[in-house]
Every structure is written in C-alpha cells, then in structure tokens.
Amino acid sequence: MGTDKSLFDGLAISREEDLCEAHMGQYPVIFLSLKNIEGSDYESARKRLWSVIREEARRFSYLLEKNIISDFDRDDLQSLIYGNGDLEDSLKLLSGILFHTCGHKVVILIDEYDVPLDKTNQFGYYDKMVQLIRLLFGSSLKTNDYLAFAVLTGCLRGEIKAAVCF
C-alpha cells in the first residue's frame, strides 16, 4: 500500500492505466525471501525461518503507534515481532492483522520457496521441513480468508519455477 508508482515507469504494466488505477497501491504486501533458510539441523533452520517472519512483522511495527489497530491485533503483532506463538500460523495471523488494520486483503510474495527444502535434503531433515512448510503455506495460502493472492518463486536445479495462488 502507498507504493511509489514511479517504480513501474517504462514497464508494460504501466500502460494498463485502468488496471493500475484499480489495484496499484491497494494491497498490504507481505514479502519473504527464504534464500537463507538453512542449517545443519532442523531447529537451526526453523529458527532462521522464524527470524525472517519476525523481521517482516517488524516492518509493520508502525501500526502499533496508530489508533487504527485493535488491542487484540496489537497483542498479536507484538507476539509475532517477538517470535512467540505458532510459526505455522504466523503468516495467516499477520495477514489478518493487516486486513483488519488496512481494510484490504493482502498479497503474499515468497521468493526462493524451494531453498529450505533443497538444503534440508542435503542435511537429512527433509521430512520435518516439508511438514513445517506444508503447515505454514497451507494456513497462509490455502485457508486464508485475508489473502487476495500470493506469488511463490523458486529456482531449483537451474529451472525457474513460479506459482500464483488466487
């Protein structure tokens, strides 16, 4: 929300004036890069994932100073900032906070979604990480009433992969 529209100057999308007018700057955006989610064991990788989500929650800490956030959402946002609660439900929780505060469904962008799976396969805890990612993505991307859409990108073994979820 409130993006600098000049970021899109010269791009084909900027010529789609009606589309830009209707959608540009209208959605709160959650962005995660999972490129550094690795570790020699599951707990190390899990802590790194929590760290990435905490940092994204901190980006919205300015909401704590505004009167537009409910006490309930304030407590939940503080919980995310401090890494408390369920990692598996953290993105859905952040989505709800942003929806209640901003009045718009959220966009979730996840880059390098495949890196944690590739790294964990190398270190032998693939099954645990798959379960964690399945629960995290399941609650935030499949059963999330606050989601407008999501984009996941990854590049595994030289192949570029992208998925868009609506």
Side-chain angles (χ1 to χ4, degrees):
M1 296 188 72
T3 188
D4 177 6
K5 293 181 179 187
S6 68
L7 291 171
F8 300 95
D9 286 351
L11 299 177
I13 191 69
S14 67
R15 292 189 294 273
E16 301 293 333
E17 293 177 14
D18 291 340
L19 180 71
C20 289
E21 185 65 32
H23 296 285
M24 189 179 291
Q26 300 300 311
Y27 303 93
V29 176
I30 297 171
F31 171 73
L32 303 174
S33 174
L34 303 186
K35 70 179 179 180
N36 293 318
I37 308 304
E38 61 180 279
S40 59
D41 59 48
Y42 172 75
E43 276 308 312
S44 298
R46 190 177 195 285
K47 285 179 184 177
R48 283 183 172 240
L49 181 56
W50 242 131
S51 178
V52 167
I53 292 172
R54 277 195 333 264
E55 285 302 313
E56 185 61 6
R58 284 186 186 130
R59 199 165 63 83
F60 298 102
S61 64
Y62 68 90
L63 294 172
L64 296 171
E65 300 166 9
K66 304 213 179 237
N67 289 331
I68 58 173
I69 191 169
S70 71
D71 290 341
F72 183 73
D73 283 341
R74 179 184 312 279
D75 291 345
D76 284 344
L77 182 55
Q78 287 175 327
S79 177
L80 288 173
I81 288 170
Y82 292 110
N84 299 327
D86 292 326
L87 173 60
E88 295 83 354
D89 291 325
S90 59
L91 292 179
K92 185 174 185 178
L93 183 61
L94 183 56
S95 299
I97 293 166
L98 294 174
F99 175 78
H100 295 140
T101 306
C102 302
H104 296 279
K105 291 189 175 190
V106 302
V107 172
I108 298 177
L109 307 175
I110 301 175
D111 191 27
E112 304 279 355
Y113 79 91
D114 52 339
V115 169
L117 300 175
D118 182 47
K119 297 295 182 182
T120 61
N121 193 39
Q122 294 174 18
F123 290 108
Y125 54 96
Y126 178 83
D127 291 340
K128 282 184 168 181
M129 186 56 76
V130 164
Q131 183 63 18
L132 175 60
I133 296 291
R134 181 179 290 131
L135 292 170
L136 177 67
F137 287 3
S139 71
S140 60
L141 304 179
K142 290 175 99 177
T143 59
N144 187 349
D145 293 334
Y146 310 116
L147 181 67
F149 68 90
V151 178
L152 284 76
T153 61
C155 183
L156 192 57
R157 288 187 231 126
E159 296 179 29
I160 296 175
K161 301 194 186 277
V164 179
C165 305
F166 294 93

